[in-house]
Amino acid sequence: MSDDTAQRNRPDAAVPRHIAIVMDGNGRWARSRFMPRQAGHRAGVDSVRQVVETAGHLGVEALTLFAFSSENWSRPNDEVSVLMDLMLRTLQKESARLHQNNVRIRLIGERSHLSERLRLEIAEAERLTEHNTGLTLVVAVSFGGRWDMLQAARRFAQDVREGVRDPDDLDEALFSGYLSLDGLPDPDLLIRTGGEQRISNFLLWHLAYAELHFVDTLWPDFGAEELKAAVASFAGRERRFGLTSEQVERLSRA
Ligand code: FPP
């Protein structure tokens, strides 16, 4: 990797520009309280609220939340319905407040798999908040990192077929522009709650240089303090992007 990559990514930044979160552990949180899994998902929405607010206060530019993966469609039908319904109701309830707080809402994922009602609500929230300049809140729904790379490759191939692009021009920057997070910096920090230590087909392209922060805390127990602790842990890390420590030090003094 070049000096350029390190420079662009501000290796000395104390606050991540972009945080991505795998929100895991709702089911276990509910089970430990002898409650149905959906109670865990509902409690998870409170954590989403706290984390969005705190990320905004910390000056984070973008927050990407993995709300529903391509693979989650294989869960029992009633759980899928509960999650879709929760997403719809949360959007209806929270969009106006997020807009007041200058948050820009964006959805990434396979929209064609979502109900028309949910698609309309998403489009409305995106339209309402599109000119906001504060935190960009990206919600990944029916999303998978492999799906994202495939849809990007398909669209690029289409542009080649139409003569808009030349395959020889394809480089990282150009390919990134076809991916769902186009226009946002790569996540600097990935947080996963719930004790598992894996990426689970999340942002496969974009997490190339992310710092990873795994915690046992179940998602409904994750709030402002846990997010601040994750950011503090990030601030203590040396990000090298393939360079040596000495090179990174020189860059941060420049
Ligand atoms: C994983 O926990 C969590 C999910 C699959 C859903 C996350 C969704 C929310 C928090 C609510 C909706 C979000 C927004 C942005 C409105 P799990 O069910 O896999 O938990 P387990 O591993 O303990 O079973």
Side-chain angles (χ1 to χ4, degrees):
M1 270 302 128
S2 61
D3 278 18
D4 235 27
T5 307
Q7 195 105 55
R8 216 179 36 243
N9 286 285
R10 295 196 328 198
D12 56 336
V15 175
R17 292 179 69 188
H18 187 169
I19 300 178
I21 308 185
V22 179
M23 310 179 287
D24 199 9
N26 294 349
R28 278 165 284 162
W29 182 92
R31 200 168 54 229
S32 70
R33 287 164 175 74
F34 307 101
M35 291 157 97
R37 293 178 60 82
Q38 64 201 61
H41 296 314
R42 270 201 303 274
V45 174
D46 292 335
S47 295
V48 168
R49 215 174 281 121
Q50 276 190 58
V51 162
V52 170
E53 205 167 286
T54 309
H57 289 155
L58 289 171
V60 171
E61 287 174 38
L63 175 68
T64 298
L65 303 177
F66 206 4
F68 193 91
S69 72
S70 308
E71 293 72 28
N72 286 153
W73 290 112
S74 308
R75 289 198 175 194
N77 286 343
D78 56 345
E79 182 165 349
V80 170
S81 302
V82 161
L83 280 166
M84 289 298 147
D85 191 51
L86 198 56
M87 230 106 55
L88 179 71
R89 282 189 294 117
T90 306
L91 267 176
Q92 288 169 334
K93 225 167 93 189
E94 305 285 340
S95 291
R97 206 175 55 93
L98 289 167
H99 180 47
Q100 278 163 15
N101 285 301
N102 200 21
V103 173
R104 183 174 183 184
I105 302 172
R106 184 163 155 184
L107 181 120
I108 58 170
E110 224 169 344
R111 289 182 196 224
S112 61
H113 287 187
L114 307 178
S115 71
E116 195 183 351
R117 253 185 102 193
L118 183 53
R119 279 201 307 252
L120 286 172
E121 201 64 47
I122 290 161
E124 174 55 22
E126 288 178 328
R127 193 203 51 76
L128 176 72
T129 61
E130 69 186 331
H131 299 299
N132 289 347
T133 53
L135 176 77
T136 297
L137 171 62
V138 183
V139 185
V141 181
S142 190
F143 180 87
R146 288 183 174 179
W147 165 81
D148 196 21
M149 289 198 269
L150 283 179
Q151 67 76 26
R154 205 174 292 125
R155 288 196 300 123
F156 178 74
Q158 183 68 28
D159 281 352
V160 170
R161 186 154 60 192
E162 289 170 11
V164 182
R165 293 281 180 208
D166 182 334
D168 289 340
D169 294 339
L170 191 61
D171 59 13
E172 290 187 13
L174 183 59
F175 190 67
S176 289
Y178 284 87
L179 293 165
S180 302
L181 287 182
D182 177 32
L184 292 175
D186 285 348
D188 309 287
L189 173 64
L190 171 80
I191 300 171
R192 181 174 184 142
T193 62
E196 312 290 357
Q197 304 194 354
R198 50 180 174 249
I199 306 290
S200 297
N201 195 20
F202 195 18
L203 299 161
L204 298 182
W205 172 275
H206 308 86
L207 293 174
Y209 284 96
E211 295 296 324
L212 308 179
H213 184 81
F214 297 111
V215 288
D216 290 335
T217 314
L218 304 175
W219 178 248
D221 291 326
F222 193 93
E225 290 318 308
E226 288 72 18
L227 182 68
K228 286 181 193 162
V231 168
S233 146
F234 170 85
R237 307 210 191 164
E238 183 191 59
R239 306 187 73 201
R240 290 206 295 270
F241 303 96
L243 306 182
T244 65
S245 280
E246 292 72 24
Q247 285 174 301
V248 170
E249 212 158 287
R250 229 180 304 122
L251 276 172
S252 55
R253 277 199 306 264

